[in-house]
Amino acid sequence: MPEIDDIAALWGQLDGAPEFVAARENSVYHCRIDGQSVALRLHRPGYQSYAAIQSELRWCARLADLGFPCPRPVVSDDGSYLRSVHLGGHASVVSWLDGAAIGAGDTRLQGSEAEQAALYHAVGALLAALHQATDVIQTEDLQRGSWDADTLLGEAPIWGRFWENPTLTRAEADLLLRTKARAYDLLVRQETIDAGLIHADPLQENILATPAGLALIDFDDGGFGYRAYDLGVALSQHWDTPNADMLRRALLDGYATLRPAPAEDLVILFTMVRALASCGWCVDRCAGDSAVQRQYAQRAVTLADQWMAQTTTA
């Protein structure tokens, strides 16, 4: 793959062939450059601007300087973190973290209940450490998107109009619209809610178990938003597991070891809100695969129905 070789050369001497890892919002390759194990990322054109990606890299560099476990960006031969490339997008290189994603790629955890609780206690502490470190570093110069009431639950959500998922029935779409309106009203009426830069995508595949402990990767969706949203996202893959309530309590207890934890009902709300957002996210990214779109839609419908019932009787 000469194009990848040429891009890697912007960071130094490539040792061996790049190994393709994944293609999500970015295409990622595991490389050795100048003897260092790194991840070469080709950013999807049109998803994040040059300034937004540059801000992501600066954010991670500042977090790494404080000792937070995340990939550290690597400067290219002109001293910059980010390069425009002839493939029509941008490229960056970050340090490679040795470890396995928690859950081993499965949306259901392995191990005993005690082991699962210990893991999500550690995940809660990891997210608290992220928010705590981010409150210390400079962020005024960072240009990132928003994860607020409007971008999550407004008329033009950041990941698409989820109530227009083509696999929804009319009744299901109406339910999501009613849920959207109620959740939006609840959020805008919150007098105090912890907000700041968040990861916005701490799913199992973005949390690595390394020899030094848990680490967080893939900050591509990070932006300014509700801190409780990060916790809701972390729980969203376990919405229908028998241990969902236990995992939520463990996550909140772990978070509370470093900073005040959000109210449990707020985390339940954001778990549901993430399901709504993903119901829209999958439409363009899973084009032609109605089965996958339906899976996301069903989760959104079920959690919306449960949340509406809980808020009605609360």
Side-chain angles (χ1 to χ4, degrees):
M1 53 183 73
E3 297 92 348
I4 301 301
D5 291 359
D6 292 342
I7 294 170
L10 298 173
W11 274 265
Q13 178 64 46
L14 180 64
D15 304 329
E19 176 189 355
F20 177 74
V21 177
R24 297 180 66 196
E25 303 300 355
N26 304 323
S27 294
V28 181
Y29 296 82
H30 185 196
C31 308
R32 289 193 67 82
I33 299 178
D34 290 340
Q36 181 182 2
S37 186
V38 298
L40 170 63
R41 307 187 305 166
L42 303 182
H43 299 265
R44 179 162 70 87
Y47 188 63
Q48 297 285 6
S49 69
Y50 185 95
I53 301 170
Q54 187 78 273
S55 294
E56 173 203 341
L57 297 167
R58 289 173 179 163
W59 179 23
C60 288
R62 293 167 188 174
L63 290 173
D65 284 344
L66 287 180
F68 180 79
C70 67
R72 180 185 291 276
V74 179
V75 295
S76 66
D77 58 9
D78 69 355
S80 66
Y81 287 141
L82 188 62
R83 299 293 293 267
S84 297
V85 296
H86 64 279
L87 296 179
H90 308 299
S92 64
V93 168
V94 297
S95 61
W96 183 265
L97 300 183
D98 286 320
I102 63 172
D106 193 347
T107 58
R108 295 183 182 273
L109 295 176
Q110 306 297 316
S112 67
E113 183 170 308
E115 290 170 330
Q116 293 176 29
L119 174 61
Y120 267 71
H121 188 279
V123 171
L126 177 71
L127 295 177
L130 168 68
H131 299 160
Q132 186 164 286
T134 298
D135 283 345
V136 172
I137 64 174
Q138 178 185 357
T139 59
E140 293 80 4
D141 61 334
L142 303 183
Q143 299 180 36
R144 296 298 300 178
S146 297
W147 295 92
D148 57 15
D150 285 318
T151 55
L152 287 167
L153 298 164
E155 289 308 302
I158 191 169
W159 277 353
R161 293 160 65 91
F162 48 82
W163 58 94
E164 294 179 355
N165 181 305
T167 71
L168 294 168
T169 66
R170 176 67 64 86
E172 289 171 340
D174 288 345
L175 168 65
L176 297 192
L177 282 169
R178 294 195 307 275
T179 303
K180 178 176 84 75
R182 182 178 295 179
Y184 181 89
D185 183 63
L186 187 152
L187 283 178
V188 298
R189 287 190 291 105
Q190 291 280 331
E191 293 184 1
T192 58
I193 184 168
D194 188 18
L197 268 177
I198 61 174
H199 183 277
D201 200 30
L203 300 175
Q204 289 187 131
E205 51 266 37
N206 292 331
I207 302 173
L208 301 185
T210 78
L214 296 185
L216 194 57
I217 64 172
D218 194 357
F219 285 67
D220 192 51
D221 286 312
F224 295 93
Y226 305 110
R227 268 29 194 296
Y229 182 71
D230 268 351
L231 279 69
V233 172
L235 294 168
S236 63
Q237 290 173 310
H238 310 297
W239 67 281
D240 61 346
T241 63
N243 294 333
D245 291 342
M246 177 273 292
L247 293 176
R248 184 170 58 251
R249 289 192 296 270
L251 186 79
L252 286 166
D253 288 346
Y255 194 91
T257 60
L258 292 178
R259 57 190 288 125
E264 186 171 8
D265 59 354
L266 195 59
V267 175
I268 292 172
L269 164 63
F270 280 119
T271 303
M272 183 273 295
V273 168
R274 173 56 174 231
L276 296 182
S278 296
C279 183
W281 174 90
C282 70
V283 174
D284 291 335
R285 293 165 177 83
C286 305
D289 192 340
S290 60
V292 175
Q293 291 184 21
R294 183 59 201 172
Q295 290 173 7
Y296 281 102
Q298 187 60 60
R299 178 177 65 169
V301 167
T302 302
L303 288 180
D305 188 50
Q306 292 173 354
W307 184 78
M308 290 288 277
Q310 292 167 0
T311 57
T312 298
T313 58

